[in-house]
Amino acid sequence: MPNICLLPAELVPTHAKHIHQPVALLIRSLYGHPLASASWQNHLATILSKELGGVEMPEQPSCFHFPSMSLALSVYVDDLTLSGPQKIHGKFWSTLQKHVQLEDPAELSKVLGRNHVSCDQGLALHPADFAKQYVELNEQLSGKKVKHFRTPHCDGGTLVETDDQCVGQLSASSAKLVMKLMWLGRISRPDIMVAINTLARNITRWSMNDDKRAARLVGYI
């Protein structure tokens, strides 16, 4: 079934200016289109399989193993992270670039907001830059400097029952804050997931007590 899209004002041709909400046939998926990510994923997976002999790992979607080259590839939309013998990397990228337009590969550093730091035992996951962004965002929205805490959870006596009935200062920004927190917890901070989940449950009923919980958590981060 063909897809149609509503034309923005700057793209409406002169002969269609008189039409209210003109539309056009969508020939190619645009960024943000519901099917764009699936089309790209299928396209890339086909190339990795047919041209490079990749096998998608059953329990790890978007992760591919290349038995003939002893390589593994992690795919997150257009962020590709390759692991395996360094001497094979050049051949892999040159083959893939024949079929997909890619930037030149770079040394492993930051992937999805998380730094990868080499150490004696291998790689250490280091999300400090992303954590600092969250702290700065919290300070900006709350107008308060973050106070350091050694644990992510509020002490029982600091949460007053009557404050559950009062709308918190950060209520309007709660979803934005929690989503950023969820990403930080997901990429390498399991120690804060319980505190994040507590806040996530209260996004639609954010109270002054949730302000306190958020302040405590950001102070720990």
Side-chain angles (χ1 to χ4, degrees), residues 54 125 171 178:
L125 307 181
S171 176
V178 171

Side-chain angles (χ1 to χ4, degrees), residues 78-208:
D78 57 353
D79 287 311
L80 311 181
T81 307
L82 185 65
S83 176
Q86 187 73 37
K87 61 183 180 181
I88 309 293
H89 285 204
K91 176 184 177 182
F92 176 90
W93 291 122
S94 62
T95 302
L96 184 57
Q97 286 177 320
K98 293 177 182 178
H99 305 278
V100 179
Q101 184 177 348
L102 297 172
E103 296 178 357
D104 291 334
E107 292 296 320
L108 182 65
S109 56
K110 181 180 290 188
V111 180
L112 305 180
R114 177 178 60 190
N115 290 315
H116 292 66
V117 183
S118 298
C119 59
D120 293 339
Q121 304 299 321
L123 287 176
L125 307 181
H126 199 285
D129 289 345
F130 194 84
K132 289 177 182 176
Q133 291 177 24
Y134 175 75
V135 172
E136 292 169 358
L137 176 63
N138 189 281
E139 289 182 336
Q140 175 187 343
L141 294 174
S142 67
K144 303 174 184 177
K145 292 293 292 182
V146 169
K147 179 182 177 182
H148 176 67
F149 291 104
R150 297 187 64 182
T151 63
H153 305 286
C154 287
D155 301 325
T158 63
L159 301 178
V160 183
E161 186 173 350
T162 54
D163 283 348
D164 280 329
Q165 311 306 318
C166 301
V167 177
Q169 177 189 357
L170 299 176
S171 176
S173 306
S174 60
K176 182 177 183 179
L177 290 169
V178 171
M179 288 300 293
K180 202 170 185 71
L181 276 170
M182 284 183 168
W183 184 247
L184 176 62
R186 176 185 174 187
I187 60 177
S188 55
R189 290 295 300 270
D191 55 315
I192 61 176
M193 288 305 298
V194 172
I196 293 172
N197 288 338
T198 299
L199 292 175
R201 288 197 298 268
N202 295 336
I203 284 179
T204 59
R205 54 179 183 180
W206 194 272
S207 69
M208 289 177 63

Side-chain angles (χ1 to χ4, degrees), residues 37-81:
S37 59
S39 297
W40 161 248
Q41 183 178 354
N42 294 335
H43 175 65
L44 181 61
T46 299
I47 292 172
L48 292 174
S49 174
K50 292 185 176 181
E51 304 298 334
L52 289 156
V55 179
E56 189 167 13
M57 301 178 188
E59 303 300 325
Q60 298 289 334
S62 297
C63 292
F64 294 82
H65 176 225
F66 302 87
S68 63
M69 295 182 281
S70 299
L71 295 174
L73 181 74
S74 172
V75 177
Y76 189 90
V77 190
D78 57 353
D79 287 311
L80 311 181
T81 307

Side-chain angles (χ1 to χ4, degrees), residues 3-8 11-13 15-16 19-26:
N3 289 308
I4 60 173
C5 64
L6 182 66
L7 290 175
L11 294 182
V12 176
H15 68 270
I19 301 175
H20 177 62
Q21 294 188 333
V23 298
L25 183 66
L26 183 63

